[in-house]
Amino acid sequence: MKNLKSLLLLAFVALNIQTAFAQKHDFAWWYRFEQQNKELGAPAKGEKRVVFFGNSITEYWPYKHGDWFKENNIIGRGIGGQTTYQFMLRFYDDVINLQPKIVVINGAINDIAENTGAYNEQHTFDNIVSMVEMARQNKITVVLTSLLPAHAFNWHPGIEDPMGKVRSLNKLIEAYAKKNKIIYVDYFSAMVKEDGTRMREDLADDGVHPTEKGYEIMESMILPIVNKLRK
């Protein structure tokens, strides 16, 4: 188990180095899914396409539970390390141009980790609102999800009060969703430790990225909503 955790950590570090190198020359990493998007083409008649859009939490999901994505006809468009500023730039390529019926947005934890600069809650929230508005203008149903619990970032140690920032942004997103009649899925409450300090240890080895058990909880919450919206 210790060796497996070490290998996963090395893979995570390598992925973030690769991401940083690619994004040095292509901030949004537009070309990450370029070929896959071309191969998908337009939806078939009657197809109700679903896109999961986000960062590494979304990117790793198909690697751990690929069969679940295939069985439920869900397209993953997550890129590790990205912030909502990068999401905004690739939202047309990786969501709107795919013509989905539904987009599930999960992100902003890397904003709090300051991956692309100092964290500003209002700017991050505005980015989320902008993506919702773009989706709605293109007749795409939006599902917003909470940020997952995160008490620290091993790639950016020293960030002050991550959990407080996560809770605050989640409250903004939830209130916005309620006001605008958008479905909001509260992963946070289902995955936080009883003392409220972090994600449950059995759900995330590094305190940020879900284990298979963590993804199973998320799947049990999101799939009934996706299936209902597809009807």
Side-chain angles (χ1 to χ4, degrees):
M1 180 62 72
K2 188 176 290 186
N3 288 338
L4 177 60
K5 288 182 179 180
S6 298
L7 287 172
L8 288 172
L9 179 60
L10 285 171
F12 172 74
V13 171
L15 177 62
N16 277 276
I17 291 172
Q18 179 187 20
T19 300
F21 178 78
Q23 292 177 359
K24 181 178 180 181
H25 303 285
D26 175 6
F27 181 70
W29 206 349
W30 282 283
Y31 306 113
R32 170 67 174 79
F33 293 108
E34 182 182 36
Q35 187 58 39
Q36 293 97 316
N37 291 344
K38 285 181 180 178
E39 291 171 0
L40 272 176
K45 186 177 181 180
E47 180 184 354
K48 296 176 181 178
R49 188 171 281 177
V50 180
V51 174
F52 281 18
F53 186 75
N55 49 42
S56 57
I57 292 169
T58 300
E59 181 174 20
Y60 297 168
W61 201 340
Y63 291 116
K64 292 192 175 184
H65 283 186
D67 289 343
W68 185 83
F69 273 72
K70 292 177 182 177
E71 290 166 5
N72 295 289
N73 195 25
I74 293 169
I75 299 164
R77 288 296 180 265
I79 296 182
Q82 287 205 330
T83 63
T84 60
Y85 301 92
Q86 293 162 306
F87 286 2
M88 283 279 294
L89 293 172
R90 68 180 181 91
F91 197 74
Y92 264 91
D93 284 4
D94 290 341
V95 178
I96 291 172
N97 288 345
L98 301 183
Q99 302 173 53
K101 177 179 176 59
I102 304 157
V103 61
V104 178
I105 301 174
N106 177 268
I109 197 65
N110 289 319
D111 295 50
I112 293 173
E114 301 187 357
N115 281 18
T116 56
Y119 176 58
N120 182 300
E121 181 181 73
Q122 188 61 50
H123 291 169
T124 294
F125 176 68
D126 289 345
N127 290 342
I128 294 168
V129 171
S130 295
M131 286 186 284
V132 172
E133 291 177 347
M134 283 191 286
R136 285 184 148 186
Q137 287 170 3
N138 286 274
K139 300 180 180 179
I140 300 168
T141 299
V142 177
V143 177
L144 290 174
T145 65
S146 70
L147 282 71
L148 275 57
H151 73 286
F153 308 108
N154 56 22
W155 65 96
H156 272 181
I159 299 294
E160 294 184 6
D161 191 23
M163 282 291 281
K165 292 171 182 175
V166 167
R167 290 180 188 276
S168 180
L169 184 56
N170 280 343
K171 285 181 181 178
L172 279 179
I173 297 170
E174 184 175 14
Y176 168 76
K178 183 176 181 180
K179 180 179 179 181
N180 291 277
K181 299 180 180 179
I182 298 168
I183 294 173
Y184 173 80
V185 181
D186 185 9
Y187 294 142
F188 180 95
S189 296
M191 301 177 75
V192 70
K193 194 174 179 180
E194 286 185 5
D195 65 6
T197 60
R198 63 191 66 206
M199 201 183 314
R200 284 168 41 190
E201 285 87 349
D202 60 324
L203 303 183
D205 291 331
D206 65 355
V208 177
H209 298 90
T211 58
E212 289 192 7
K213 185 175 179 180
Y215 281 123
E216 286 170 2
I217 289 175
M218 295 166 69
E219 289 164 8
S220 71
M221 296 176 72
I222 195 66
L223 186 59
I225 291 168
V226 166
N227 287 340
K228 185 175 181 180
L229 290 172
R230 275 176 164 161
K231 292 181 178 178

